[in-house]
Amino acid sequence: MRGTRVMAAGIALMIGLTACGGGGGAAQNEGAVTVPSDPGQVSGTITVLTNRTDQVQDGTAEAYAAEFNKLYPNVEVEFQGLTDYEGDVRIRMNSEDYGDVLSIPNSVPTSQYPTFFAPLGSAAEISQKYDFTERGTVNGQVYGIANIGVANGFVYNKAVWRQAGVTGWPKTPAEFIAALKAIKEKTGATPYYTNYKDAWPLTNWGNAVGSASCDPSANDALATTKEPWAAGQELNVIDTLLFDIVKNGLSEADPNTTNWENSKNLIATGKIATMWLGSWAVVQMRDAAKKAGNNPDDIGFMPFPTQVDGHFCTAVRPDYQYAINAHSKNKPAARAWIEWFITKSGDAQKALSISSVKGAPLPSSLQPFQDAGVKFVSLSWAKNTTVLDIDKASEVGLGAPDYRQRLVDVARGAAKGDLPGIFADLNKKWSEAQATIGG
């Protein structure tokens, strides 16, 4: 399964999504749904929509519900695991039937949160306990709380990199390309794997924004930067690296044959060396290594190959935010589940992810980052609505795979064009949309 992942900002706004049954007014006018003070008084059945189909299928979700029932014995929790989570929930949100608890689809504009979700409390209150609350805040009210935050970097097979004679993290894109060339020359592994066919892994390259610049305002800056792909701009650096990897023949021979599920086994067994993903992927690759009889500790995580003032940086973004359907008939029970799951289930720790609970320790998979002095950059989302509006108007698709698939196609000679031409086109679309939006 794909498991937990971060989609980049900029996914196209939902088509045909409308408020139903007066939900907007109800959600905005009623008081916040607070955590119940007496678990014994909370009752009812709640439906939890989840993208974690693996947890539903392997019994993990049911086990969580059993633990939850020790504290809330009168609440029945039912799960619906959705393979096409974004698409299925988008359709369901055109009615009132989209569960009681759900992860907010990336396609829902922040401005519409009060229409579809119940307020969970003031930003001043919720932010004292949880990180990443800015992303789910509208007019001072929090409508979604993330379970985890995700750092971004390269998942890599350390044994393959060692075999190629590379033991330190590359500090520049040029050093990174040189390392991949050494892997190609000295090992039998494919240096880099794009996961082109499944497409969604390519969107994670957009999550490098903030990592290359070490700038917490990097996403917000897109609202006013007229040419984000101009020389020296962060997206230029990020996308040039992807292009150069493919151009130099350092990725799989035929991108049309890639397979996400199989890629876990390929990196676990040393057949491929490197993939750009979120930190959530580390535990999945290590599990694949165990199943293959290999050493799970060979799966490591490294930051984007740039440094600012002598430090690597990694942008940390919230993953899916949990929210309560504005039309739910069991809001107290839904609120109890969200609070328990984030603070008591241990799910973030099991996934080797960054817990959103303030003060929680970093997972062991990120201990090397901490030991190396990597700076964790928590991005600001203050201008994200404007960024999304510009992205939609420009039809660039910062969080969609299309333009990066085109990068790969041009780089491997399967499509006409060159990198300067691609960047010029992207800059033109962005600047024209920005002028229209007024960013």
Side-chain angles (χ1 to χ4, degrees), residues 294-433:
N294 288 25
N295 184 359
D297 291 337
D298 280 341
I299 303 300
F301 198 59
M302 74 170 72
F304 193 87
T306 57
Q307 288 193 329
V308 176
D309 297 329
H311 291 278
F312 289 106
C313 299
T314 182
V316 180
R317 298 166 177 259
D319 194 67
Y320 275 129
Q321 304 160 91
Y322 296 146
I324 298 174
N325 183 344
H327 308 285
S328 171
K329 300 298 190 289
N330 286 307
K331 290 186 177 71
R335 185 69 176 91
W337 171 260
I338 289 174
E339 187 74 9
W340 179 87
F341 187 79
I342 296 175
T343 65
K344 303 293 185 183
S345 71
D347 183 75
Q349 291 73 22
K350 292 174 185 175
L352 297 181
S353 294
I354 302 170
S355 171
S356 69
V357 178
K358 284 187 177 296
L362 285 173
S364 59
S365 59
L366 290 176
Q367 191 62 48
F369 274 40
Q370 192 170 39
D371 293 343
V374 176
K375 291 186 177 180
F376 291 81
V377 180
S378 184
L379 292 178
S380 167
W381 301 99
K383 297 182 180 180
N384 194 51
T385 298
T386 302
V387 174
L388 289 171
D389 288 345
I390 295 171
D391 188 51
K392 181 175 184 291
S394 70
E395 299 184 345
V396 165
L398 287 176
D402 304 70
Y403 95 74
R404 289 193 172 91
Q405 284 185 319
R406 185 187 173 211
L407 276 173
V408 172
D409 287 340
V410 172
R412 66 191 181 97
K416 294 181 179 180
D418 56 27
L419 189 59
I422 293 174
F423 285 163
D425 180 56
L426 292 169
N427 281 328
K428 183 175 184 291
K429 289 180 177 179
W430 192 267
S431 61
E432 288 177 351

Side-chain angles (χ1 to χ4, degrees), residues 22 29 48 59 62 65 83 95 103 157 160 182 203 212 239 243 248 255 268 280 287 293 299 323 391 396 413 415 438:
N29 295 329
V48 179
E62 185 178 348
T83 302
S95 70
S103 301
N157 188 305
V160 174
T203 67
D239 289 331
F243 186 90
N248 283 280
W280 55 265
D287 285 346
I299 303 300
D391 188 51
V396 165

Side-chain angles (χ1 to χ4, degrees), residues 165-183:
V166 185
T167 55
W169 293 338
K171 298 178 180 178
T172 66
E175 288 185 8
F176 188 83
I177 293 295
L180 295 190
K181 287 181 177 179
I183 291 170

Side-chain angles (χ1 to χ4, degrees), residues 276-301:
W276 173 259
L277 292 166
S279 54
W280 55 265
V282 174
V283 68
Q284 295 191 28
M285 307 311 175
R286 288 182 177 173
D287 285 346
K290 291 178 185 176
K291 292 176 183 177
N294 288 25
N295 184 359
D297 291 337
D298 280 341
I299 303 300
F301 198 59

